[in-house]
């Protein structure tokens, strides 16, 4: 697989970085609200605990997931889909906290997607060695809506390519508070996360969280 590192000035935490047409990385966009977002996240996790889902191919994912909002993404032997209830509890997913929705709308707007209103948030937790192989996000009904993705805690190496698996992947580091907004011509771009390096973060401890806000319905 061909990869190349994206050039980034690590001291610049304000200038948006273009990852592709319609895709931007907003460095540190959420740093000033990370504390409030994390407090709301802990409450969501109490109501819908993280779990490692099984892929349709029978593998157990290394990343632990849960959701909040009007629907949630799940994976099992029958495939990938959005469902109104948490299959682990049979209850509706926890409601999306106000601070989540506001952050998603503000970041989308800063990246050129005004009036984005998410109806679901997929929560991913990575511990050391957890990874997400390159994939497309294509289970949402209307792909004209972007995805807003927030990183909290330990840094991760993120890969970003094109609409075809064979296209070369750029690599960049996603840090605590970084937001990636993803839509338009890049909406179906392949992307993934390399195995997480061991570390400690003052807010999240030994892990990284990724919150991705979507309009799925
Ligand atoms: C992650 N992110 O950053 C995994 N998907 O942990 C994703 O899979 C993702 O960051 C769609 C849009 C943005 C993303
Ligand atoms: Fe994804």
């Amino acid at each position: 697989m061909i990869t190349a590192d994206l050039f980034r000035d690590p001291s610049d935490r304000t200038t948006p970085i273009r990852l592709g047409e319609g895709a931007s990385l907003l460095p540190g966009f959420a740093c000033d609200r990370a504390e409030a977002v994390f407090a709301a996240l802990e409450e969501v996790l109490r109501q819908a605990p993280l779990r490692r889902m099984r892929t349709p191919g029978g593998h157990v994912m290394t990343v632990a997931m849960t959701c909040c909002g009007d629907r949630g993404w799940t994976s099992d032997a029958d495939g990938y889909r959005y469902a109104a209830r948490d299959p682990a509890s049979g209850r509706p997913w926890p409601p999306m906290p106000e601070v989540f929705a506001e952050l998603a709308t503000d970041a989308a707007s800063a990246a050129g997607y005004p009036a984005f209103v998410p109806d679901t948030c997929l929560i991913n937790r990575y511990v050391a060695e957890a990874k997400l192989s390159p994939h497309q996000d294509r289970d949402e009904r209307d792909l004209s809506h972007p995805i807003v993705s927030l990183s909290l805690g330990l840094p991760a190496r993120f890969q970003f390519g094109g609409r075809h698996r064979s296209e070369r992947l750029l690599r960049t580091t996603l840090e605590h508070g970084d937001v990636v907004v993803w839509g338009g011509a890049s909406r179906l771009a392949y992307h993934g996360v390399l195995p997480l390096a061991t570390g400690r973060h003052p807010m999240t401890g030994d892990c990284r969280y990724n919150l991705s806000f979507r309009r799925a319905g």
Side-chain angles (χ1 to χ4, degrees):
M1 196 182 294
I2 304 167
T3 59
D5 276 286
L6 181 74
F7 172 75
R8 238 181 116 173
D9 172 358
S11 66
D12 184 351
R13 304 286 290 160
T14 48
T15 311
I17 295 158
R18 190 187 135 100
L19 295 178
E21 197 185 331
S24 333
L25 164 55
L26 309 176
F29 186 85
C31 280
D32 58 351
R33 25 183 147 171
E35 201 79 53
V37 169
F38 191 65
L41 172 63
E42 289 188 302
E43 183 52 38
V44 167
L45 297 183
R46 274 191 283 274
Q47 298 172 49
L50 290 154
R51 78 291 306 261
R52 289 171 64 190
M53 296 183 191
R54 202 172 277 276
T55 67
H59 297 282
V60 176
M61 299 175 79
T62 54
V63 177
M65 300 181 171
T66 190
C67 298
C68 65
D70 296 341
R71 59 199 97 238
W73 186 87
T74 62
S75 174
D76 60 21
D78 300 330
Y80 306 124
R81 67 194 165 279
Y82 282 97
R85 285 172 183 271
D86 177 351
S89 67
R91 293 193 306 261
W93 297 98
M96 174 133 28
E98 193 93 11
V99 284
F100 282 22
E102 253 172 49
L103 169 71
T105 300
D106 292 351
S109 166
Y113 297 96
F116 171 63
V117 180
D119 63 5
T120 181
C121 173
L122 172 61
I123 298 158
N124 291 176
R125 184 187 61 191
Y126 298 72
V127 293
E129 298 303 325
K131 65 181 172 85
L132 205 55
S133 303
H135 64 278
Q136 292 172 302
D137 288 27
R138 54 187 309 163
D139 300 318
E140 298 74 27
R141 187 166 299 165
D142 176 356
L143 299 176
S144 71
H145 297 291
I147 294 178
V148 174
S149 155
L150 164 67
S151 295
L152 291 176
L154 292 177
R157 297 290 288 159
F158 185 65
Q159 301 172 297
F160 181 84
R163 287 178 60 105
H164 303 281
R165 199 179 274 284
S166 59
E167 286 176 64
R168 115 191 162 128
L169 296 164
L170 282 176
R171 272 188 310 218
T172 190
T173 300
L174 296 181
E175 306 270 1
H176 176 73
D178 285 355
V179 175
V180 179
V181 183
W182 198 281
S186 287
R187 183 62 181 73
L188 290 176
Y190 275 87
H191 57 282
V193 178
L194 294 173
L196 195 80
T198 305
R200 255 209 111 63
H201 186 274
M203 187 176 287
T204 64
D206 62 1
C207 66
R208 166 183 186 256
Y209 290 94
N210 177 260
L211 276 56
S212 58
F213 303 95
R214 301 135 187 260
R215 182 136 199 114

